[in-house]
Amino acid sequence: MEDPKLDWDALGFNYRKTDLRYVCHWRDGQWQTGYLTEDNQLHLSEGSTALHYGQQCFEGMKAYRCKDGSINLFRPDRNAERMKRSCARLLMPTVSAEHFIDACKQVVCANERFLPPYGSASSLYLRPFVIGVGDNIGIRTAPEFIFCVFCVPVGPLFKGGLQPSNFVISDYDRAAPNGTGAAKVGGNYAASLLPGTEARAANFADCIYLDPMTHTKIEEVGSANFFAITHDNTFVAPRSPSVLQGITRASLLELASSRLGLRTVEDDVYIDNLSAYKEAGACGTAAVITPIGGIQYGGRLHVFHSEHEVGPFTQRLYAELMGIQMGDIEAPAGWVEKCDCPAPQ
């Protein structure tokens, strides 16, 4: 098929229908044979548990075109394992890593014409998800499930790419203590819609959530993970049972240590101790890295490195991570899965 003739460098983080998506049904105690379909509409029972009780989870990952024309999937095994944990938390059947990765590769190859070219600021975003469906009304696990993967060509989540943004501390909680904060489930994100909208109305990029138990420690940045770098060059990621274990977060922890020589810790980040950090950022599959210029808290804006310039460690981490994802820098063992698509007919 012909090129979709998109302006690859001007894509936002928006939905766009692509050619094919993967769908697989769980019935009679097992996953059935999956298939690719042009239909981007799911047909559900009105009693589906996904609609009434939030029994669903999802993942986010990206495919990248490399300089040599090959296609990289970045750490899909980690996404597969996290989806297993999310499914288990919500009493849904798990999808094996082999099934998950194969479905993702099928979707990438079926929509290769939507994969942005090497050197653009864009990538092909994959959205795998599992939902509870079937006729039901009681509060129980669903009688049937759907596993689906679709893709969308996207640009950066935050406008402007790698530029500092300011954030505000939210009075809302993202997730309950001992709740589903560590699982990638829709309810966590639905709860963030109002706080995020209020933050943007006040001219901030998004809000930052504190721990729900004491409201003294930073946990998450909108729909992304938080990190900070101390004045003595320690990379810190918040430690909490309700923080989502992000793949980008885990990758930055490793790269900060192995490639930048920083000490790394997962520890509490107290909101009243922001002066201990010289740089801070938000990280995730969609955001990649968004430098945090300042955090509004207690009536004042605490600025880290700068509101206008990216800190040197954040810049190096971004370059290292993107270089690995795009195939320009050697990846640590097991980080990249090649997607070998058949030549177009």
Side-chain angles (χ1 to χ4, degrees):
M1 299 179 72
E2 65 179 15
D3 188 288
K5 294 182 171 50
L6 299 175
D7 185 347
W8 300 113
D9 291 315
L11 293 178
F13 201 83
N14 303 303
Y15 178 82
R16 179 186 302 274
K17 184 183 178 185
T18 49
D19 293 331
L20 295 168
R21 65 273 315 131
Y22 178 90
V23 177
C24 185
H25 294 264
W26 188 92
R27 299 189 184 101
D28 303 322
Q30 63 183 348
W31 290 108
Q32 308 297 306
T33 301
Y35 57 92
L36 294 172
T37 177
E38 295 181 0
D39 189 1
N40 69 337
Q41 305 295 314
L42 292 175
H43 304 275
L44 313 178
S45 166
E46 60 189 358
S48 294
T49 59
L51 302 177
H52 302 279
Y53 307 125
Q55 193 179 31
Q56 60 87 253
C57 67
F58 69 97
E59 280 297 318
M61 51 190 288
K62 289 179 177 177
Y64 302 85
R65 176 73 75 183
C66 300
K67 191 173 185 178
D68 63 5
S70 65
I71 302 171
N72 279 355
L73 291 178
F74 183 69
R75 310 192 79 174
D77 57 322
R78 296 294 293 262
N79 291 94
E81 290 304 316
R82 188 171 63 183
M83 176 168 273
K84 281 185 181 180
R85 296 194 298 271
S86 296
C87 284
R89 178 64 178 82
L90 270 61
L91 286 180
M92 299 194 294
T94 59
V95 178
S96 72
E98 294 77 15
H99 186 180
F100 180 97
I101 294 172
D102 177 67
C104 290
K105 288 182 175 181
Q106 287 190 50
V107 170
V108 171
C109 292
N111 297 282
E112 189 175 357
R113 72 191 187 102
F114 288 96
L115 182 67
Y118 171 81
S120 72
S122 302
S123 56
L124 188 67
Y125 182 82
L126 302 177
R127 172 56 60 82
F129 63 90
V130 176
I131 59 174
V133 298
D135 296 332
N136 179 71
I137 197 62
I139 302 177
R140 60 176 68 89
T141 191
E144 299 179 8
F145 296 86
I146 293 175
F147 167 49
C148 179
V149 184
F150 69 92
C151 68
V152 183
V154 298
L157 177 63
F158 294 108
K159 293 180 180 180
L162 193 68
Q163 294 183 9
S165 297
N166 292 338
F167 294 80
V168 62
I169 296 297
S170 177
D171 293 328
Y172 295 93
D173 291 331
R174 170 183 166 270
N178 301 316
T180 59
K184 198 167 178 67
V185 299
N188 297 341
Y189 296 84
S192 73
L193 294 176
L194 177 60
T197 298
E198 291 182 353
R200 288 184 286 275
N203 295 318
F204 293 97
D206 208 330
C207 62
I208 292 177
Y209 298 100
L210 302 180
D211 71 291
M213 187 71 78
T214 71
H215 292 170
T216 62
K217 296 172 285 189
I218 288 178
E219 287 208 336
E220 299 256 289
V221 185
S223 58
N225 288 133
F226 178 88
F227 72 86
I229 300 169
T230 66
H231 293 286
D232 63 356
N233 297 338
T234 297
F235 181 99
V236 183
R239 176 186 61 194
S240 169
S242 56
V243 164
L244 183 69
Q245 298 300 301
I247 285 83
T248 303
R249 173 185 184 272
S251 302
L252 292 181
L253 278 163
E254 186 167 335
L255 293 175
S257 174
S258 64
R259 303 283 175 98
L260 273 65
L262 300 177
R263 177 173 174 264
T264 60
V265 296
E266 294 181 67
D267 204 354
D268 295 330
V269 178
Y270 287 95
I271 188 59
D272 61 1
N273 192 34
L274 294 180
S275 60
Y277 308 101
K278 59 183 178 181
E279 296 181 35
C283 63
T285 298
V288 187
I289 294 178
T290 297
I292 296 177
I295 294 177
Q296 180 79 14
Y297 175 69
R300 64 179 290 264
L301 182 70
H302 175 88
V303 176
F304 294 97
H305 177 77
S306 168
E307 288 186 77
H308 309 290
E309 297 180 357
V310 181
F313 284 109
T314 302
Q315 179 73 61
R316 288 175 61 191
L317 283 168
Y318 179 83
E320 194 75 19
L321 181 63
M322 288 298 297
I324 290 169
Q325 292 174 335
M326 300 294 293
D328 295 329
I329 297 176
E330 184 177 359
W335 278 29
V336 169
E337 178 96 19
K338 285 294 183 183
C339 188
D340 298 319
C341 299
Q345 299 296 317

